[in-house]
Amino acid sequence: MKLSRIALAGGIAASTVVLIAGPAAAHVSVQPVGEAAKGGYATLNFKVPNERDQASTVKLEVNFPADHPLSSVTPQAVPGWDIKIDKSKLDKPLEVHGKKITEAVSKVTWTADDSKIAPGYFQQFPVSVGALPEDADQLVFKAIQTYDNKEVVRWIEEPTEGGEEPDSPAPVLKLSAAADDHHGGGAADDAKKDDAKEGDDHKAADTAASTKETHAAASSSSSDTTARTLGIIGIVIGVAGVAFGVLAGRRRSA
C-alpha cells in the first residue's frame, strides 16, 4: 500500500499537467530552467494554473517585451496544444552575429486542441529565448488566460519595487549577472584552446628537432674520437714494428 502511494505521487510529479496544492501563487508566472543570464540564452517555463472550479483553461497568450526585443524565440511543442507565433517590425534593427534582425516575436499563443488545463491543475509552456538584454535587470511578459466559459483574465499589471503585488500581476523574469560562457563564448574558448594546442605542438616539434640534432652531434663527435684513437694506436704499432725490425737486423749483422 505504501509503495503504491509512492508510485502514484511520482507519476503525478512527472506529469506535465500537475495538480496544484492550493491558491498560493495562483497566477501566470515565468521561471527559467537554470539561470537567465544577461546577454545569454535561456529556456523559460510559463506556468499557468487553473483558478476556476467550474471552467478549464483553453488558451494562453504571452506578449514579449517591445522595449527589449528578443532575436530568437522558439517554443517547445506541447501535446494537445496548437502554437501560433506573431512577429512585428522593429523600429531599430538588432545586430546579431553580424546580421541585422528587422523583426522579432511579439506574441506566442497556445490554444487547446484536444487538451485543457482542468480545475485544480497547472500546465507549463517552455520557450527557448535569447539573446537576453545586457542593459536590463528584468523582463515583463504580459499574459492573457482564457477559459472555456469565455472568461478572460489579463495578467498585465507590472509590479512596482517595494509595492504590494497587483491583483493580476504580469509574469516577470529576473535576469542574473552576465556569465563568461554565455552563447558565443564557447567558440572563442575553443579557438583559444586550439591556438594553445598549436603552440604546444610547435614547441614539442622544436624540442624533438633540437634533441635529434644533439644526438647527431654527439654521435659525430664520438665517431671522430674513435677514429683518432685508432689512428694513434696504428701509429704506435707502426713505430714499434720499425724499431723491432731495426733491432733484429743488427742482431743478424753481429
Side-chain angles (χ1 to χ4, degrees):
M1 187 66 163
K2 185 177 181 181
L3 291 175
S4 298
R5 290 178 180 174
I6 294 175
L8 178 59
I12 293 175
S15 176
T16 304
V17 179
V18 184
L19 179 66
I20 60 177
H27 55 76
V28 176
S29 61
V30 59
Q31 290 294 331
V33 178
E35 286 191 347
K38 297 178 181 180
Y41 287 68
T43 296
L44 310 180
N45 276 328
F46 289 95
K47 180 180 177 181
V48 184
N50 193 97
E51 296 183 306
R52 302 296 179 259
D53 296 330
Q54 304 297 326
S56 297
T57 298
V58 294
K59 187 177 181 181
L60 172 69
E61 301 169 67
V62 174
N63 293 277
F64 284 72
D67 54 343
H68 293 291
L70 302 174
S71 61
S72 175
V73 176
T74 307
Q76 180 178 321
V78 180
W81 294 78
D82 292 328
I83 301 174
K84 180 185 177 184
I85 301 174
D86 291 325
K87 295 183 178 181
S88 60
K89 292 287 184 180
L90 298 176
D91 295 333
K92 183 180 179 181
L94 297 175
E95 188 81 15
V96 181
H97 304 306
K99 296 181 179 180
K100 282 190 176 181
I101 306 298
T102 59
E103 63 178 13
V105 171
S106 56
K107 183 170 66 173
V108 177
T109 303
W110 290 265
T111 304
D113 184 10
D114 57 0
S115 179
K116 298 179 181 180
I117 307 176
Y121 288 80
F122 74 84
Q123 172 78 49
Q124 294 192 102
F125 298 90
V127 182
S128 174
V129 301
L132 297 172
E134 298 182 4
D135 58 349
D137 295 323
Q138 65 180 30
L139 293 177
V140 178
F141 298 87
K142 296 182 179 182
I144 300 175
Q145 181 179 10
T146 303
Y147 290 88
D148 57 6
N149 63 358
K150 308 302 181 183
E151 181 186 0
V152 176
V153 181
R154 301 179 183 276
W155 305 99
I156 61 174
E157 298 180 46
E158 297 188 30
T160 57
E161 187 175 356
E164 294 183 0
E165 185 178 68
D167 293 333
S168 300
V172 177
L173 174 68
K174 299 291 185 180
L175 302 181
S176 59
D180 294 334
D181 59 347
H182 63 69
H183 185 79
D189 292 341
D190 291 342
K192 290 179 181 178
K193 290 179 182 178
D194 290 341
D195 290 342
K197 184 177 184 301
E198 185 177 354
D200 292 341
D201 291 343
H202 284 315
K203 289 180 182 178
D206 292 342
T207 301
S210 177
T211 302
K212 185 176 181 181
E213 290 176 0
T214 302
H215 287 169
S219 178
S220 176
S221 177
S222 177
S223 298
D224 291 344
T225 302
T226 302
R228 288 172 184 171
T229 302
L230 291 176
I232 293 172
I233 292 174
I235 291 172
V236 171
I237 292 174
V239 171
V242 170
F244 180 78
V246 170
L247 289 174
R250 286 179 179 179
R251 290 175 180 177
R252 290 193 190 98
S253 298

